[in-house]
Amino acid sequence: MKKNKKNIIVWSSIILGIVVLLILRFMPLNYYIETPGSANNLERFVSMPTRPDRHKGSFMITSVYLQRATPITYALAKADPHASIEKEDAVTGGENAQVYSKVQRFYMNSAINEAIATAFKAAHQSYHKNYLGIYVLSISKNSDFKHKIHVGDTITKVNGVHYNYAEGYQKALAKLKVHHKVKITYKHDGVQKIATGRLIKLPTGKSGIGIMLTDNVKVHTDIPIKVNPQNIGGPSGGLMFSLQIYQQLTNDNLTNGRKIAGTGTINRYGYVGEIGGIDKKVIAAHKAGAKIFFAPYIKPYKIILKYEPQHMTNYQLAKKTAKKYAPNMKIVPVSTFEQAVHYLQTHR
């Protein structure tokens, strides 16, 4: 009897230990962990049958690895100098994982189309932009359209007027007074719908509908091109996609046998925008053997420096990270696509 009781205690302890380990390993916390991701050759993502890339070297797109924290991974991240822990809402904007992934795909599709347009324009090749509207990326809690329009919908008109870019919608709404009633035409799952609501006061002080937007643009070209981002999301690959496409279009040997990494958004004017996690992308590029890293540089406003004396631009953080972990990698600040091309053409 004593032996059976002892066995029961032993097995109960083992089972309890297994349960605790499973909880520590798999129980999701309301945090995400960001660590250095990968740096991949963009030739794998860009297909141009009539303009193959035959040059040695490579342009690389860098990424950050993002995972939901568990008690064990949270503890490990605390001890990892390359990891950062972010609250769930700060990462997802309060949306569930499915919606967050959808938003990241929207960002990437927008980035790819702007990259194609930027490269074709710089290479003096014909292209046509078909502006479909604006993707809805998030809706603020106090928006009058909170339960009318959803993330993933495409807004096509405001008060019956269609604008060519999101800026047009924003400027038109900003001219109206707070609480002014507006009619929004949008597409939900391909079906056109109309919603009516009142404007709210945005954090900027201007009037708006309280919806975060990005352009839904499709670029058509005479030269066949397909870009498959695979499992990478977000807008931060815009600059590097532009450089890869431009090199294939022009046959200009920009890489010249080098591994060139970088990051940064690209807009319709060719300006490069800042992104998050650049310190982790620098480390990922270094591990992949990159010798040059393009980092966005936007001069901070005085008001930002006033309230955030320790504020660092993408370029400053990238340079600081490289000095410590990748001293042989050259960090190059860029504000425009043209600056990146000029640097490579004059530093072969």
Side-chain angles (χ1 to χ4, degrees):
M1 182 69 94
K2 288 183 178 180
K3 187 175 182 181
N4 288 339
K5 187 175 181 181
K6 184 177 180 181
N7 287 338
I8 291 173
I9 294 174
V10 170
W11 280 108
S12 297
S13 299
I14 292 173
I15 293 172
L16 179 61
I18 292 173
V19 170
V20 171
L21 285 174
L22 289 174
I23 290 174
L24 292 175
R25 176 65 183 87
F26 296 106
M27 186 181 75
L29 302 177
N30 293 326
Y31 293 93
Y32 276 86
I33 298 171
E34 292 182 348
T35 52
S38 60
N40 299 304
N41 188 343
L42 275 169
E43 191 178 354
R44 293 169 41 196
F45 301 85
V46 179
S47 174
M48 298 179 68
T50 62
R51 306 291 176 96
D53 189 351
R54 295 193 174 94
H55 300 298
K56 293 182 179 180
S58 60
F59 285 116
M60 297 191 292
I61 184 172
T62 54
S63 63
V64 171
Y65 180 58
L66 185 68
Q67 63 173 321
R68 186 71 173 264
T70 66
I72 285 181
T73 57
Y74 185 94
L76 292 173
K78 282 287 188 179
D80 185 351
H82 302 322
S84 62
I85 301 171
E86 305 291 340
K87 289 185 176 180
E88 182 180 9
D89 285 353
V91 174
T92 65
E95 303 289 354
N96 60 48
Q98 185 178 2
V99 172
Y100 173 73
S101 295
K102 181 188 288 188
V103 168
Q104 294 306 301
R105 288 196 298 273
F106 290 158
Y107 270 131
M108 175 55 81
N109 289 334
S110 180
I112 287 172
N113 278 282
E114 288 298 349
I116 293 172
T118 297
F120 271 69
K121 181 180 180 180
H124 305 293
Q125 298 290 342
S126 63
Y127 69 96
H128 171 69
K129 270 187 174 183
N130 184 16
Y131 185 78
L132 305 175
I134 44 181
Y135 282 127
V136 175
L137 299 179
S138 67
I139 306 171
S140 63
K141 294 179 180 179
N142 61 330
S143 172
D144 213 17
F145 294 89
K146 177 66 177 176
H147 301 292
K148 302 173 185 177
I149 298 175
H150 303 85
V151 172
D153 291 347
T154 298
I155 294 176
T156 57
K157 294 179 182 179
V158 171
N159 288 335
V161 180
H162 176 87
Y163 297 90
N164 285 335
Y165 293 96
E167 295 171 18
Y169 291 93
Q170 292 162 343
K171 288 180 179 179
L173 293 171
K175 292 178 181 179
L176 302 175
K177 293 182 178 180
V178 176
H179 304 310
H180 186 96
K181 187 177 288 188
V182 294
K183 182 172 67 175
I184 304 296
T185 305
Y186 66 100
K187 285 187 176 181
H188 177 78
D189 292 334
V191 179
Q192 181 169 296
K193 296 186 176 185
I194 295 176
T196 302
R198 297 186 182 279
L199 299 181
I200 62 172
K201 187 175 182 179
L202 303 177
T204 58
K206 297 180 179 179
S207 299
I209 56 178
I211 292 178
M212 187 180 223
L213 312 165
T214 188
D215 292 331
N216 181 0
V217 178
K218 179 64 179 175
V219 176
H220 303 276
T221 63
D222 293 334
I223 298 173
I225 177 172
K226 288 184 179 181
V227 180
N228 181 2
Q230 298 178 20
N231 62 342
I232 299 177
S236 63
L239 171 63
M240 300 312 294
F241 272 119
S242 300
L243 291 171
Q244 176 67 43
I245 296 167
Y246 179 79
Q247 176 166 271
Q248 292 185 225
L249 279 175
T250 61
N251 199 35
D252 189 357
N253 187 13
L254 297 177
T255 50
N256 197 30
R258 300 167 292 183
K259 288 185 176 182
I260 302 166
T263 189
T265 63
I266 199 82
N267 70 8
R268 63 192 178 102
Y269 303 110
Y271 287 106
V272 178
E274 293 194 327
I275 51 80
I278 196 167
D279 52 334
K280 298 166 185 63
K281 294 182 178 183
V282 166
I283 293 170
H286 171 63
K287 289 181 178 179
K291 297 302 179 185
I292 295 174
F293 188 97
F294 286 120
Y297 176 71
I298 298 176
K299 187 176 180 180
Y301 291 108
K302 290 182 179 179
I303 190 69
I304 293 179
L305 296 177
K306 178 181 178 180
Y307 291 101
E308 296 181 36
Q310 304 303 317
H311 174 82
M312 297 184 75
T313 64
N314 269 189
Y315 168 63
Q316 289 171 325
L317 181 55
K319 194 171 182 180
K320 179 182 178 181
T321 304
K323 184 178 180 180
K324 187 173 183 179
Y325 298 108
N328 295 323
M329 187 164 64
K330 175 70 174 177
I331 306 297
V332 180
V334 289
S335 300
T336 65
F337 168 77
E338 289 79 7
Q339 286 180 0
V341 172
H342 179 73
Y343 177 87
L344 294 174
Q345 289 175 334
T346 55
H347 295 77
R348 297 188 191 269

